[in-house]
């Protein structure tokens, strides 16, 4: 009888775990568990399990690894370049959110296949500590003159790092490899992700790092200071747009659809600015701190089809230059 009771208890636990909606995301998007998920759980009576997997590249790798037996129902945080690979691998399912019209501008919708939809965006930028610099670069060309002064993220594992690589390709075109060869002496180190890069930057290991144009807003909000500045090279800014999608093979399809709709609701979107430090894709009131975010005057882009055709080769060429 005791064995039967233990078995029944075990099955109840397994059943409960299977009913929970599983969301894969990267580490610095873990705030959704405290700031947004509770609203969804209360509204729909659905338990949500948020799994944080390092950076965006780590999230994508796990999804590919679990392709034949998916454990996640939702993935949130892949940007337009990582989404290309996810779509190629066939790990995302189609779904059109019921509140799709909440997205303020059609240009934010980067996936033409109807699998991934945007929830936030922001411009990649170089942040710096003016207390540790005698002069400030204004262009990509200027960056080459600052030896061992820049921390970047690895484009093989980091969505921020991959966005920076794409930014330079958008600027330099076929000459991007020459630029990276000349930039290499200015790079102090390459980290696996944004969090590690920021730790090194904040510790004073380097006066510059690849980050986001909203970092000034972050600094003002938390420290009432604008010690760290951000600049966008005069050649133009590159927008990183992050999306969410239902994982193909989701065992909780109905709840997954509800969560996709929730991501494009005001309840979720209003939490983005002060948690994710990106811009929401909906028109919601932004906090005062965002007046310290750098707004790009010029935007450069690369079509997602071109990214799909060339990304692996670009990564391979980058790897050859750096290592």
């Amino acid at each position: 009888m005791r064995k039967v009771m233990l078995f029944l208890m075990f099955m109840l636990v397994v059943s409960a775990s299977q009913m929970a909606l599983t969301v894969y995301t990267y580490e610095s998007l873990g705030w959704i568990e405290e700031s947004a998920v509770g609203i969804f759980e209360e509204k729909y009576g659905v338990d949500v399990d948020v799994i944080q997997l390092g950076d965006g590249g780590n999230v994508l790798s796990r999804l590919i690894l679990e392709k034949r037996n998916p454990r996640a129902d939702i993935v949130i945080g892949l940007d337009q370049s990582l989404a290309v690979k996810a779509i190629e691998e066939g790990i995302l399912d189609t779904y059109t959110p019921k509140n799709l019209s909440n997205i303020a501008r059609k240009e934010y919708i980067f996936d033409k296949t109807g699998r991934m939809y945007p929830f936030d965006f922001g411009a990649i930028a170089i942040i710096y500590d003016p207390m540790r610099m005698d002069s400030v670069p204004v262009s990509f060309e200027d960056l080459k003159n600052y030896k061992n002064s820049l921390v970047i993220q690895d484009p093989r594992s980091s969505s921020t790092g991959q966005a920076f690589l794409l930014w330079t390709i958008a600027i330099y075109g076929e000459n991007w490899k020459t630029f990276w060869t000349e930039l290499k002496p200015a790079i102090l180190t390459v980290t696996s992700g944004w969090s590690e890069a920021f730790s090194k930057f904040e510790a004073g290991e380097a006066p510059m790092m690849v980050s986001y144009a909203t970092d000034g807003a972050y600094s003002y909000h938390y420290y009432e200071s604008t010690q760290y500045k951000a600049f966008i090279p005069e050649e133009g800014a590159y927008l990183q747009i992050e999306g969410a999608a239902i994982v193909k093979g989701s065992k909780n399809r109905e709840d997954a659809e509800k969560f996709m709709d929730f991501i494009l609701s005001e309840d979720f979107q209003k939490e983005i600015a002060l948690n994710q430090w990106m811009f929401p894709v909906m028109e919601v009131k932004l906090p005062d701190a965002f007046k310290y975010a750098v707004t790009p005057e010029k935007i450069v882009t690369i079509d997602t089809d071109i990214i799909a055709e060339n990304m692996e080769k670009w990564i391979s060429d980058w790897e050859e230059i750096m290592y």
Side-chain angles (χ1 to χ4, degrees), residues 103-114:
I103 297 175
R105 298 178 63 176
K106 291 181 179 179
E107 303 94 281
Y108 301 152
I109 302 175
F110 56 84
D111 173 26
K112 302 170 186 175
T113 70

Side-chain angles (χ1 to χ4, degrees), residues 97 205 226:
E205 293 186 32
T226 53

Side-chain angles (χ1 to χ4, degrees), residues 66-114:
E66 296 174 354
K67 181 176 179 178
R68 294 185 178 180
N69 184 27
R71 300 180 184 180
D73 301 295
I74 292 283
V75 56
I76 177 170
L78 300 185
D79 69 3
Q80 65 265 50
S81 57
L82 293 177
V84 167
K85 180 67 173 176
I87 292 165
E88 283 182 345
E89 289 285 341
I91 56 179
L92 307 180
D93 216 345
T94 55
Y95 176 66
T96 303
K98 294 180 176 63
N99 49 1
L100 183 62
S101 60
N102 284 354
I103 297 175
R105 298 178 63 176
K106 291 181 179 179
E107 303 94 281
Y108 301 152
I109 302 175
F110 56 84
D111 173 26
K112 302 170 186 175
T113 70

